[in-house]
Amino acid sequence: MADSTANPPCRDVIELALELPLARFSLRVAVRLGDGVTAIMGPSGSGKTSLLEAVAGLRPKTRGRIALDGTVLLDSATGVRLRPERRRVGYVPQGAGLFPHITAMGNVRFGARGAESRVRAAIECLELTPLLGRYPATLSGGEKQRVALARSLASNPRLLLLDEPLAALDVGLRERVVPYLLRIHEEWKVPVLYVTHNVGEALDLAEAVLLLREGTVEAYGPALEMLSRPAMARAAEAGIENLRHGRIIAHDEAGGTTRVLLDDGQILAIPLSSSRRPGDAVNLAIRAEDVLLAVERLHGLSARNIVEARIVAIDRVGRDALLRCRPGSESGPERRPWLVRITPSAVGSLGLTSGQEVWLAIKSHSVRLL
């Protein structure tokens, strides 16, 4: 089984030494995870959801050992295999998974254990009181996710498993739900395994990152350290993040920006970072949905970074389109492509095709310094 050599950043409470046969490979994970929020990352199809389902007890073919803070949930060698309802694991699958025929209050109460105070605390933590009498069909995406989280908390879990809880939400909704996730961890002191493709979410929420690839642990360690590693850059490129490495070249105090020379020769303006000195190495992250695309040369735009590029691929990612756009001219040096996430309707209305010349606009405040 794959193992991790990195030192975990928190007290170890989750022991995983499991194997689960899947269609393309066997999921083999051997690692000890801490008591904080651990982001589970990696390319699509690497086994992230299957790992959560195995921990939750939803994959009966799982073998090996799973223990949570000393309580054994699975041990094939001794015949221990707790049923899902006895594991006290709160699982929020993709899409919230609410029961459509009962109200938000009914969903929260479903499976609740212990005192009524636990249910009320979950409702108050996630500010659900105005929604309790409504049915899931009348709730927004963010409201459904909050109800699903409250249902998990009301079950008095020892561990929360969250499978891309923000993936179906637009940027505005995501930014409103993230504070609730932070509050859950801070107030309830429950360890969390959090599947995400989004580097920004991992930075906001997680103390540690576990990177899966083809069913094995490629790396595990503190979030800030992990998110600057080449392995994570490859994983982010498969998802919706642009990760770039470069060096500080100058500060513009009056203009409020810092200039960064990327490894491929491009220069980006980022928010002023006076604490970094010229020459310092830095890692940058830009969400694919924060990159604007135009089919004509841009003029009079407030965005400080304009990149001339050419579309090299257009793929479908969930409900959106993911464009790979290689900067520079065809005769110039080979440069790493930028990822741009837009709607399929935008692809159609702009008449975008592979090989087309485009211009990318990146606001300096869309660039996150890792």
Side-chain angles (χ1 to χ4, degrees):
M1 292 186 182
D3 208 340
S4 168
T5 57
N7 292 322
C10 305
R11 181 178 67 90
D12 287 347
V13 297
I14 305 167
E15 178 189 350
L16 302 178
L18 62 87
E19 181 172 352
L20 171 63
L22 301 175
R24 294 190 302 108
F25 49 75
S26 286
L27 177 67
R28 294 185 176 91
V29 174
V31 69
R32 300 179 70 90
L33 305 178
D35 59 359
V37 178
T38 300
I40 312 296
M41 305 186 73
S44 297
S46 59
K48 300 184 297 296
T49 295
S50 297
L51 176 59
L52 295 195
E53 291 175 343
V55 175
L58 303 177
R59 292 291 192 124
K61 294 183 179 180
T62 305
R63 296 187 56 80
R65 179 179 170 86
I66 302 173
L68 176 58
D69 207 10
T71 299
V72 177
L73 309 183
L74 171 72
D75 192 332
S76 300
T78 60
V80 175
R81 185 183 296 270
L82 295 188
R83 295 177 60 83
E85 62 271 19
R86 293 187 56 204
R87 297 193 178 197
R88 285 184 53 197
V89 170
Y91 179 39
V92 180
Q94 295 182 32
L98 299 180
F99 298 108
H101 61 289
I102 56 178
T103 63
M105 185 59 162
N107 270 280
V108 174
R109 287 187 181 278
F110 185 86
R113 299 184 183 92
E116 173 68 15
S117 60
R118 188 77 175 184
V119 175
R120 299 309 312 179
I123 290 170
E124 291 171 7
C125 176
L126 290 158
E127 300 180 10
L128 293 178
T129 300
L131 309 177
L132 295 179
R134 292 167 55 184
Y135 287 86
T138 70
L139 301 176
S140 70
E143 290 167 344
K144 290 177 182 177
Q145 293 292 29
R146 284 158 55 197
V147 172
L149 287 166
R151 180 175 63 185
S152 292
L153 289 175
S155 69
N156 196 21
R158 293 179 293 203
L159 171 67
L160 271 179
L161 307 174
L162 307 181
D163 193 356
E164 297 198 71
L166 310 184
L169 310 184
D170 60 32
V171 175
L173 278 175
R174 269 184 267 170
E175 291 176 348
R176 290 197 290 275
V177 173
V178 163
Y180 293 106
L181 298 178
L182 290 169
R183 184 186 301 176
I184 285 171
H185 178 57
E186 292 170 359
E187 295 184 5
W188 293 68
K189 307 301 181 186
V190 178
V192 180
L193 302 188
Y194 184 98
V195 169
T196 181
H197 281 100
N198 192 296
V199 171
E201 286 177 26
L203 282 171
D204 286 338
L205 295 167
E207 289 89 6
V209 171
L210 176 74
L211 177 61
L212 282 181
R213 187 175 298 275
E214 294 291 319
T216 62
V217 177
E218 182 166 321
Y220 168 58
L224 285 175
E225 174 187 313
M226 288 289 298
L227 293 173
S228 63
R229 294 175 60 146
M232 187 57 65
R234 293 195 300 272
E237 187 171 318
I240 57 171
E241 291 286 333
N242 295 283
L243 290 188
R244 294 292 189 270
H245 181 269
R247 293 189 177 276
I248 302 289
I249 56 175
H251 299 299
D252 179 3
E253 299 279 350
T257 60
T258 290
R259 297 174 68 212
V260 176
L261 175 64
L262 303 183
D263 287 349
D264 63 5
Q266 297 178 85
I267 295 177
L268 285 187
I270 69 172
L272 184 65
S273 181
S274 301
S275 62
R276 307 290 184 103
R277 296 177 298 178
D280 283 354
V282 292
N283 293 286
L284 311 176
I286 306 99
R287 295 187 299 189
E289 58 262 40
D290 287 339
V291 181
L292 303 179
L293 181 146
V295 295
E296 298 179 352
R297 191 176 297 275
L298 294 163
H299 300 283
L301 199 67
S302 63
R304 296 295 85 194
N305 304 296
I306 306 296
V307 179
E308 184 176 354
R310 189 171 300 276
I311 299 174
V312 295
I314 302 176
D315 299 307
R316 191 67 182 259
V317 177
R319 298 178 301 175
D320 296 330
L322 186 69
L323 282 61
R324 295 175 184 268
C325 303
R326 193 174 302 282
S329 63
E330 291 184 353
S331 59
E334 185 82 356
R335 288 177 168 175
R336 191 172 175 185
W338 286 92
L339 303 180
V340 183
R341 189 168 187 169
I342 60 178
T343 63
S345 63
V347 173
S349 63
L350 293 174
L352 301 177
T353 60
S354 184
Q356 183 176 354
E357 187 178 27
V358 293
W359 284 263
L360 309 180
I362 305 165
K363 294 173 59 178
S364 59
H365 281 284
S366 295
V367 182
R368 184 188 295 271
L369 187 64
L370 302 183

